[in-house]
Amino acid sequence: MSTDASFIKIEQASYAYDDGVQAVSSVDWAIPAGSFHCLVGRSGCGKTTLLKLAAGLLTPTSGQIRIGGTVVDAPTQEVGFVFQTASLLEWLSVLENVLLPISLRRKVEPVDREAAMELLVLAGIAEHADRYPRQLSGGQQSRAALARALVTNPPTLLMDEPFSALDAITREELQEDLLRLTTLRESTVLFVTHDIAEAVYLGDHVAVMECGRISFTSPVALVGRRDADMRYAPSFNARCQEIRGAMASPVGAAS
């Protein structure tokens, strides 16, 4: 994978809804290949809209977004998207749900099933491959949704608060699973969350969004392996405090 510093490049991207509400305003942001960037902000600040623009689910009112040098104007298999809810189809098994992005485009081959099963093994839910979503816990459904997003091996993964409805312990376990899977696959990740600690734990870089604009960006630069103990380290708390302070600052205080 290329180390181009602008693998995901958002260039003066804006988006206004039909009622005239400006959700995203002239956002510029470059995300290096293979990095994990988190976007935090208050509810209604525009972060989910920006993510949908990057996914090709919405078209910018002005400006553009490039991924791997190609302008994003529609959803593509080059981008995996994980929604706030798992959004699994109840009438399909876990394995069939994971294979859905492939089956919607072409016939599923044995090699596809092998790749999907490998992902379920890595996600820790291979034993549930033949079960249906209603038979899974919330955490297991989230793991299945992550495997589904990765099954086409997309270079880019976009995630919209995927763990927000889970209990604290399950959420921490899924954060660790996510880091392991995306590191293994060298994915470029843009992860939206309202949880500052989650952003600092996951991200190589954290940005703050307010009123449709990026108001602050900063590398995380934590020393050592990310694990449960790191969550209580002074350096971790200092980074969280810095991001919290940026969220309370006026728009335009970017760094």
Side-chain angles (χ1 to χ4, degrees), residues 30-240:
I31 299 177
S35 66
F36 198 126
H37 280 221
C38 290
L39 180 63
V40 298
R42 299 173 186 268
S43 296
C45 71
K47 56 189 186 297
T48 292
T49 301
L50 182 62
L51 198 71
K52 289 180 178 179
L53 291 171
L57 299 173
L58 295 174
T59 302
T61 308
S62 61
Q64 65 181 8
I65 297 174
R66 295 177 180 271
I67 295 182
T70 301
V71 174
V72 176
D73 54 13
T76 168
Q77 281 192 296
E78 296 299 300
V79 176
F81 197 100
V82 182
F83 296 89
Q84 291 183 17
T85 58
S87 302
L88 303 176
L89 299 183
E90 292 292 336
W91 58 90
L92 297 180
S93 69
V94 169
L95 179 58
E96 290 168 335
N97 266 288
V98 172
L99 287 166
L100 187 61
I102 296 174
S103 65
L104 288 174
R105 290 175 170 82
R106 60 172 174 79
K107 180 181 178 181
V108 174
E109 304 290 346
V111 66
D112 300 319
R113 293 184 177 276
E114 291 175 9
M117 283 303 302
E118 179 184 349
L119 277 169
L120 290 176
V121 169
L122 291 172
I125 55 169
E127 67 272 24
H128 303 307
D130 295 325
R131 292 191 176 186
Y132 291 88
R134 64 180 178 275
Q135 299 173 299
L136 304 182
S137 68
Q140 290 165 346
Q141 289 185 21
S142 293
R143 288 183 169 91
L146 177 58
R148 180 181 59 191
L150 291 171
V151 73
T152 60
N153 201 27
T156 305
L157 187 62
L158 307 178
M159 308 188 73
D160 186 16
E161 302 188 41
F163 309 146
S164 59
L166 303 175
D167 64 86
I169 298 300
T170 301
R171 186 169 185 154
E172 289 183 3
E173 291 172 349
L174 279 164
Q175 289 167 3
E176 293 169 4
D177 289 342
L178 175 60
L179 285 176
R180 176 169 50 83
L181 284 168
T182 54
T183 299
L184 180 65
R185 292 181 166 242
E186 299 182 317
S187 305
T188 304
V189 184
L190 176 52
F191 187 101
V192 165
T193 180
H194 62 270
D195 188 312
I196 295 171
E198 180 171 68
V200 172
Y201 187 79
L202 290 173
D204 304 315
H205 204 104
V206 175
V208 174
M209 193 167 195
E210 188 173 353
C211 299
R213 298 179 182 273
I214 301 295
S215 60
F216 176 89
T217 66
S218 178
V220 175
L222 294 173
V223 177
R225 189 174 68 88
R226 300 192 184 193
D227 55 21
D229 291 339
M230 177 173 282
R231 298 178 190 272
Y232 305 98
S235 58
F236 183 86
N237 291 325
R239 300 304 290 155
C240 290

